[in-house]
Amino acid sequence: SGVAFTGWTDNFASSGTAPADGIICAKSKSNTIVSITTSGVERVYTAKRDKYGQGCTSITCPVKKGETYSVSGATYIRFMKIGN
């Protein structure tokens, strides 16, 4: 029972259709807002750091196979495939 992690996709596109059930993992550009939308709904969002907290943030969002997604403000995006 349970769900199995089955692999990574590096250099995942910033928008498209999810190839499998999984988790989108993104790292922000320095001091930038990151937002992940699935099926046209903003699901997760990080505020940019204030002037005393310069740097990057990370964010994750689950997505279902065949669901449309869009990631903005990320310096890299990876996809963590779950299941078959």
Side-chain angles (χ1 to χ4, degrees), residues 18-38:
D21 290 346
I23 299 172
I24 297 169
C25 305
K27 177 183 172 186
S28 74
K29 298 173 184 173
S30 184
N31 201 29
T32 303
I33 295 167
V34 176
S35 173
I36 301 177
T37 301
T38 64

Side-chain angles (χ1 to χ4, degrees), residues 4 19 24 29 33 46 48 58 76 79-80:
I24 297 169
K29 298 173 184 173
I33 295 167
T46 62
K48 69 179 184 176
S58 295
Y76 74 73
F79 184 70
M80 181 179 164

Side-chain angles (χ1 to χ4, degrees), residues 29-84:
K29 298 173 184 173
S30 184
N31 201 29
T32 303
I33 295 167
V34 176
S35 173
I36 301 177
T37 301
T38 64
S39 297
V41 178
E42 184 178 70
R43 305 291 183 183
V44 293
Y45 170 92
T46 62
K48 69 179 184 176
R49 297 188 181 251
D50 66 20
K51 64 182 178 178
Y52 300 109
Q54 300 294 318
C56 301
T57 57
S58 295
I59 192 168
T60 61
C61 183
V63 64
K64 292 182 178 183
K65 180 179 182 177
E67 189 172 24
T68 58
Y69 71 90
S70 177
V71 181
S72 64
T75 187
Y76 74 73
I77 305 164
R78 294 189 172 119
F79 184 70
M80 181 179 164
K81 184 179 173 188
I82 297 174
N84 297 330

Side-chain angles (χ1 to χ4, degrees), residues 4-28:
F5 163 63
T6 57
W8 286 103
T9 300
D10 292 328
N11 303 314
F12 199 60
S14 62
S15 64
T17 302
D21 290 346
I23 299 172
I24 297 169
C25 305
K27 177 183 172 186
S28 74

